[in-house]
Amino acid sequence: MSQTTSKSFDTQLFKRLMKYTRPYRLTFVSVAFVAILLSLLSVARPYLLKLTVDDYIITKDYQGLLTFSLIMAGILLGEVISQLYFLYYANWIGQSIVRDIRKKLFAHMLRFKMKYYDNSSVGLLVTRTVSDMERIAEIFSSGFFEIVSDLLKMLAVMIAMLLFNWKLALIVFAVLPIILYATRLFQQAMKVAFTEVRLQVANLNSFVQERVTGMKIVQLFTREETEYDNFKKINKKHEQAWLKTVWYNSIFFPIAEITSSITIGLIVWYGGLQAVSDGSVELGTIFMFIQMSQMLFRPLRQIADKFNTLQMGMVAANRVFNILDTQSSIEDKGSIEATTMNGDLSFKKVHFGYIENEEVLHGISFDVKAGETVAIVGATGAGKSTIINLLNRFYEIQDGSICIDNIDIREYTLPSLRSHIAVVLQDVFLFADTIYHNITLKNPDITEDHVIEAAKEIGIHEFIMSLPGGYHYNVKERGTMLSSGQRQLIAFLRAYVSNPSILILDEATSSVDTYSEQLIQRATQKITEGRTSIVIAHRLATVKKASKIIVMDSGTIVEEGTHDELLTIDKGYYRNLYEVQFLAEDATI
């Protein structure tokens, strides 16, 4: 059980959250001052009502009644202005703090290892970054400040009651423990309930996000009914979590209302008896105590509701801080800022596994000279794509070393290392933006003229200009407005304009149409010229032209050589692949 759920209120968590108010200390203090002012103004109104009843209504002093009415109107106006300032700047502080935390959270997430995302739900992370942040904002806009304001009002009211008539005050205070105890139970129950609500919201978001993203698979395998049934179950749990909070509210607020009504009845009964019997209690005092008792009990009921908001915000803050406290980033201890790279690449006895004690690469070693094009082939799961992940330091190796230009890649600063490596993947990811922005990724150093010139060089300018809007054509989410081959071409251009020292093509020519393949083959030839290239592909033309072919099987290198050299190996692994797969392609060429 988390720290937040085990206690009614986590003071350490709240202190940590309050640290984010430091840049807004002046505004914070001014809001606190206005809260004190509102508590004083709230007591002034019932006192003026008492004076109005006793001194001007009963005595029929019309001039005094008019004067006091104007004074009450002025105090009310001041209270309205103060309340406006209080609410606006309490919300302003909340949104400012959320902006700061959200920026810090997103910057932290940008540096997470790929392993973190392998094991995390996208929907859950979206919930933490978006909706949980809004709950944190409500801590300040509808929670903490308003609770403090209400507590100050209650304190001022209780002091005023004791000063004016301690006997009537004791009647009110005698009932107070009942509603305080009920409020306490309510807060504890709602804390647990809201923790469950946030869990179910995250589960619901995660489920919907994954099914919408994978809708093609759902429909392709006719899983609509199954997924709908699963959704109903998750949605039911979400409903039950919320209904539990509704049930607690349904119990608490009627109890609070009845308690308040009983208190008013006792005030009228006792005060009326004293007024009739010996006149020790004035009529205006009874009116004042009725109003003050409402001012005392109403904030209690509201505090319970606002405490719910505070608790939800605290639960959300706990979840967000859990992510901020997660240390899952690649350690960037490199001191070498790589301004240029020749591209000499060396893997030396590299061992790696995504899961502890389950190696994927078993001490592989190979060298690639600057400017060489090396192809890596092998069955699915042989470890080909893992090499790409390790070269970019998306994951850390367990043993061995990877060197570029005879320098261990861990000695380079991470940004400078990755700036010299470009990757074109089989599954190209495009953002919901223009082709131009998907190519440059909004790098201000890459101009549109540069992009157009590069597109002409690799032969895809005409294809881009055939689209509505050309380079400013919006490809929509994940590039759905383009075919897989067109997305590959955009990825080639994105890699080319970055002018990398090392280029990696991971199955970049698979599953595309013949026309796109021809464009891709031309683009491949152009962008691999003069730079170190690693090609993971099954396409015969690319593999044949490679300076060297590395054949992998089950995380080890089983053969290495040129296309012709490998074909001479009797019963060789590559020769078998060639005979099974590549001869069929030769027959169609």
Side-chain angles (χ1 to χ4, degrees):
M1 182 177 289
S2 71
Q3 188 180 22
T4 311
T5 57
S6 62
K7 295 192 292 185
S8 178
F9 189 79
D10 191 332
T11 54
Q12 292 301 317
L13 179 64
F14 187 71
K15 287 178 181 178
R16 182 177 180 181
L17 190 60
M18 291 300 288
K19 289 179 181 178
Y20 287 91
T21 65
R22 289 174 181 172
Y24 317 104
R25 188 179 292 108
L26 183 61
T27 305
F28 186 91
V29 171
S30 69
V31 171
F33 174 77
V34 172
I36 296 172
L37 179 62
L38 283 170
S39 67
L40 298 176
L41 290 174
S42 65
V43 174
R45 282 190 292 110
Y47 176 64
L48 289 175
L49 176 62
K50 167 188 162 27
L51 293 179
T52 302
V53 172
D54 290 339
D55 296 345
Y56 302 106
I57 294 179
I58 293 178
T59 60
K60 298 183 179 180
D61 184 349
Y62 300 111
Q63 186 60 40
L65 178 62
L66 177 61
T67 301
F68 257 70
S69 296
L70 292 174
I71 292 172
M72 290 179 69
I75 290 176
L76 182 61
L77 179 61
E79 194 172 359
V80 168
I81 294 173
S82 299
Q83 191 73 19
L84 176 64
Y85 180 92
F86 176 81
L87 291 175
Y88 177 81
Y89 281 101
N91 279 274
W92 182 86
I93 289 174
Q95 290 301 325
S96 298
I97 289 171
V98 162
R99 177 198 61 205
D100 295 343
I101 298 177
R102 185 180 278 132
K103 285 165 57 179
K104 185 176 181 180
L105 176 65
F106 192 69
H108 190 62
M109 289 168 59
L110 285 173
R111 291 168 175 80
F112 277 159
K113 300 176 184 176
M114 288 299 107
K115 186 176 181 179
Y116 179 86
Y117 293 104
D118 293 342
N119 299 324
S120 300
S121 163
V122 175
L124 185 142
L125 293 176
V126 170
T127 300
R128 299 289 173 267
T129 312
V130 181
S131 60
D132 277 348
M133 285 297 179
E134 293 307 316
R135 301 288 83 76
I136 294 175
E138 290 173 359
I139 289 178
F140 298 93
S141 62
S142 306
F144 171 71
F145 282 121
E146 293 201 8
I147 289 174
V148 170
S149 177
D150 286 342
L151 288 174
L152 288 173
K153 288 178 183 178
M154 291 169 61
L155 180 62
V157 166
M158 292 172 72
I159 292 173
M161 282 182 169
L162 288 170
L163 291 175
F164 281 107
N165 192 306
W166 64 271
K167 293 180 180 179
L168 285 176
L170 288 179
I171 291 175
V172 177
F173 296 165
V175 182
L176 197 59
I178 299 174
I179 195 167
L180 284 174
Y181 181 68
T183 302
R184 176 67 175 172
L185 292 178
F186 179 66
Q187 290 169 355
Q188 292 175 337
M190 290 299 284
K191 177 60 186 291
V192 176
F194 277 130
T195 301
E196 179 65 19
V197 165
R198 297 310 307 156
L199 174 63
Q200 295 306 326
V201 166
N203 289 341
L204 188 62
N205 286 347
S206 179
F207 182 89
V208 172
Q209 191 273 336
E210 287 180 352
R211 270 59 186 181
V212 170
T213 303
M215 189 58 70
K216 184 181 292 185
I217 299 300
V218 171
Q219 294 184 359
L220 184 63
F221 289 92
T222 63
R223 304 294 295 173
E224 293 93 339
E225 290 298 324
T226 301
E227 295 302 335
Y228 178 64
D229 289 339
N230 292 334
F231 175 79
K232 286 196 296 184
K233 292 175 183 177
I234 294 176
N235 197 36
K236 183 67 176 177
K237 291 181 180 179
H238 179 261
E239 177 197 28
Q240 289 171 344
W242 272 109
L243 284 178
K244 190 176 291 185
T245 69
V246 173
W247 169 246
Y248 293 145
N249 278 287
S250 301
I251 295 174
F252 173 75
F253 285 103
I255 291 174
E257 193 64 37
I258 291 171
T259 306
S260 177
S261 299
I262 291 172
T263 304
I264 293 173
L266 291 172
I267 291 172
V268 173
W269 171 73
Y270 181 79
L273 284 178
Q274 297 301 310
V276 172
S277 61
D278 56 14
S280 60
V281 175
E282 295 177 316
L283 186 61
T285 302
I286 296 175
F287 276 102
M288 183 181 70
F289 266 80
I290 290 174
Q291 190 172 7
M292 282 189 171
S293 67
Q294 292 296 297
M295 293 172 63
L296 187 62
F297 288 132
R298 188 182 302 114
L300 264 180
R301 296 197 299 272
Q302 292 174 349
I303 283 175
D305 194 34
K306 291 165 187 172
F307 199 87
N308 295 341
T309 301
L310 181 62
Q311 294 286 45
M312 285 192 71
M314 293 292 285
V315 170
N318 186 56
R319 295 181 187 277
V320 169
F321 286 143
N322 280 342
I323 296 178
L324 284 172
D325 292 339
T326 300
Q327 298 301 318
S328 185
S329 57
I330 296 290
E331 290 187 5
D332 188 7
K333 295 182 178 179
S335 58
I336 300 175
E337 192 74 28
T339 54
T340 59
M341 281 185 178
N342 294 324
D344 286 304
L345 178 63
S346 176
F347 275 61
K348 300 176 182 178
K349 297 180 180 180
V350 173
H351 292 262
F352 171 76
Y354 293 100
I355 302 173
E356 192 174 354
N357 299 322
E358 292 185 23
E359 278 194 354
V360 175
L361 300 181
H362 308 288
I364 68 168
S365 299
F366 65 88
D367 297 303
V368 182
K369 295 180 181 179
E372 273 191 337
T373 296
V374 173
I376 301 177
V377 300
T380 301
K384 305 185 299 296
S385 296
T386 300
I387 291 174
I388 300 172
N389 292 330
L390 297 181
L391 185 58
N392 281 281
R393 288 196 68 199
F394 290 142
Y395 301 86
E396 294 284 32
I397 61 176
Q398 273 84 56
D399 196 15
S401 65
I402 303 173
C403 298
I404 297 177
D405 296 346
N406 296 317
I407 299 173
D408 193 302
I409 60 173
R410 288 169 288 198
E411 296 183 28
Y412 291 109
T413 61
L414 202 55
S416 68
L417 170 69
R418 291 175 178 171
S419 68
H420 287 282
I421 302 173
V423 182
V424 180
L425 299 172
Q426 177 183 2
D427 184 17
V428 177
F429 186 92
L430 298 180
F431 296 95
D433 208 329
T434 63
I435 287 178
Y436 172 65
H437 284 151
N438 269 289
I439 293 168
T440 65
L441 297 178
K442 299 187 179 180
N443 183 343
D445 296 329
I446 304 175
T447 65
E448 186 169 352
D449 290 338
H450 183 195
V451 172
I452 293 172
E453 183 63 29
K456 290 178 179 178
E457 289 178 8
I458 65 174
I460 67 171
H461 174 70
E462 292 182 5
F463 142 65
I464 295 175
M465 292 306 297
S466 68
L467 299 171
Y471 289 86
H472 297 281
Y473 177 63
N474 194 310
V475 300
K476 305 301 180 183
E477 187 175 359
R478 300 183 68 88
T480 54
M481 302 304 291
L482 302 177
S483 69
S484 59
Q486 290 172 330
R487 290 196 295 271
Q488 289 284 5
L489 292 170
I490 299 302
F492 268 83
L493 183 54
R494 179 161 62 191
Y496 187 55
V497 297
S498 68
N499 192 28
S501 302
I502 298 174
L503 176 68
I504 302 171
L505 307 179
D506 184 8
E507 303 286 6
T509 59
S510 62
S511 303
V512 297
D513 56 88
T514 304
Y515 175 72
S516 296
E517 183 182 353
Q518 292 172 351
L519 291 177
I520 288 173
Q521 292 293 354
R522 177 182 171 183
T524 300
Q525 185 176 358
K526 179 64 180 178
I527 68 176
T528 55
E529 285 179 1
R531 58 170 53 90
T532 305
S533 303
I534 297 176
V535 180
I536 298 175
H538 293 303
R539 298 287 180 173
L540 181 60
T542 306
V543 173
K544 276 185 173 182
K545 294 178 181 178
S547 307
K548 180 169 55 177
I549 299 172
I550 296 173
V551 186
M552 295 189 65
D553 181 38
S554 301
T556 60
I557 296 176
V558 292
E559 293 172 358
E560 191 172 341
T562 65
H563 172 73
D564 292 334
E565 289 171 348
L566 293 175
L567 287 181
T568 62
I569 301 175
D570 188 34
K571 297 182 180 179
Y573 193 99
Y574 179 81
R575 181 173 177 175
N576 181 61
L577 285 176
Y578 181 78
E579 291 174 348
V580 172
Q581 182 181 3
F582 296 155
L583 285 178
E585 290 194 25
D586 274 346
T588 61
I589 294 176

